[in-house]
Amino acid sequence: MNTNPVIYVLSDSIGETAQKVVSAVLVQFPTLKITDIRRHPFIEDKMMLNEILNEALKENGVIVHTLV
């Protein structure tokens, strides 16, 4: 298992808004050493979402998404 947190940015579009939120958080908390941010754009169905969520679960990842 990865000892550093992995951030998963999920979106049904390009994921730009959620990526900006992650960037803003990292600026506010400079002691966080996040180097692995995985952006998953254009999630179109439940099967795609479940695959990503299962991967994040194995990595003990953090899920970031936006709802507009």
Side-chain angles (χ1 to χ4, degrees), residues 2 4-8 34 36-38 59-63:
N2 195 347
N4 294 324
V6 178
I7 297 179
Y8 288 80
I34 307 295
D36 196 355
I37 300 172
R38 301 178 189 174
E59 295 278 343
N60 202 23
V62 176
I63 303 294

Side-chain angles (χ1 to χ4, degrees), residues 1-52:
M1 183 184 301
N2 195 347
T3 58
N4 294 324
V6 178
I7 297 179
Y8 288 80
V9 177
L10 310 182
S11 180
D12 64 339
S13 185
I14 62 173
E16 184 178 21
T17 303
Q19 181 74 44
K20 287 182 179 183
V21 169
V22 170
S23 295
V25 168
L26 294 177
V27 168
Q28 293 295 315
F29 298 94
T31 58
L32 291 176
K33 302 299 179 202
I34 307 295
T35 58
D36 196 355
I37 300 172
R38 301 178 189 174
R39 190 152 109 179
H40 294 274
F42 304 111
I43 298 172
E44 297 178 347
D45 57 41
K46 188 175 179 178
M47 190 169 88
M48 288 175 70
L49 179 61
N50 282 335
E51 288 175 8
I52 298 164

